[in-house]
Amino acid sequence: MQDELKLLGGAMVTLALATSALVVVPHVQLRNGEPPAALKPYTAQQLRGRQVYIENGCIYCHSQQPRDKSQAPDDQRGWGRASVAADYHYDTPHLLGTMRTGPDLFNIGARQPSADWHLGHMYQPRAYVPGSIMPSYPYLFDVKDAAEPGDRVVNLPPGHKPPGKVVVAKPAVLDLVAYLQGLDHTYPVLPAPPVKGGQNGTK
């Protein structure tokens, strides 16, 4: 019985230490953190698109957390600098992701700013990235005989447009694209150091 109490006590102490190190201390350190000056809150459309991103399981194949050079060659892949906690100031819930079946999307808005590219890629990924294993999302689009006033027609590459039809984006995919375009964290994390001696470097 005494050994069991020691084992239970040791387990409780270990759990308390782990909780303190992984939950309590980070919460205390980050709870009053300020976002970088260039980081803007999501617009209403981007928030709707973020929900579409969640509902369609994008997080299961894409991360949003480029790693440090010492951990992975993410900067060489064009994914940008390593992310920091302040980059996620407006994210609730956080969409860090753990899988990289597809590329990291932390800066997809900087790498691919074109709405036409995103819309076409969502309709048929292999038209833009040969050999892509990303699923297409045809239910986010309507295929019509002709566009109607106010329709957002998707400009697809030759050979991928339904013959005699037009592909029109539904509101949900327009919101999703707005969210993806907003994923641009190319701003500096730290302010530039002051120039000694004035702008021209003279004292």
Side-chain angles (χ1 to χ4, degrees):
M1 183 66 180
Q2 189 173 5
D3 290 340
E4 292 174 353
L5 290 175
K6 289 180 179 179
L7 181 61
L8 179 61
M12 295 300 291
V13 170
T14 301
L15 179 61
L17 290 173
T19 302
S20 298
L22 299 176
V23 179
V24 178
V25 173
H27 174 72
V28 171
Q29 290 176 329
L30 301 174
R31 63 181 174 180
N32 295 322
E34 293 295 326
L39 180 65
K40 304 302 180 186
Y42 294 112
T43 65
Q45 184 182 27
Q46 288 171 339
L47 286 174
R48 293 194 304 268
R50 194 170 189 270
Q51 187 60 36
V52 176
Y53 182 96
I54 294 170
E55 291 171 354
N56 283 276
C58 302
I59 191 173
Y60 296 119
C61 291
H62 294 283
S63 61
Q64 290 189 31
Q65 51 171 331
R67 295 167 188 156
D68 187 76
K69 295 178 181 179
S70 63
Q71 298 175 325
D74 289 356
D75 63 318
Q76 297 175 24
R77 294 168 174 154
W79 294 350
R81 60 165 175 79
S83 59
V84 297
D87 291 321
Y88 307 102
H89 184 83
Y90 299 113
D91 287 21
T92 304
H94 299 97
L95 302 177
L96 301 180
T98 57
M99 296 294 293
R100 283 183 170 175
T101 306
D104 186 274
L105 300 182
F106 188 66
N107 284 303
I108 188 62
R111 298 200 307 271
Q112 294 289 355
S114 168
D116 281 334
W117 187 94
H118 284 289
L119 288 170
H121 185 249
M122 296 299 296
Y123 182 75
Q124 179 47 266
R126 279 151 293 286
Y128 297 81
V129 184
S132 172
I133 61 172
M134 174 175 160
S136 58
Y137 296 88
Y139 54 86
L140 294 176
F141 302 86
D142 286 322
V143 178
K144 300 182 176 181
D145 293 328
E148 301 173 17
D151 281 348
R152 179 64 159 87
V153 176
V154 181
N155 299 311
L156 294 163
H160 294 278
K161 179 182 176 182
K165 304 285 186 177
V166 294
V167 177
V168 175
K170 292 182 179 179
V173 76
L174 293 174
D175 293 342
L176 174 58
V177 168
Y179 169 65
L180 294 173
Q181 288 180 298
L183 293 178
D184 181 351
H185 301 86
T186 53
Y187 51 79
V189 177
L190 300 174
V195 179
K196 294 182 179 180
Q199 293 183 345
N200 59 5
T202 58
K203 295 182 178 179

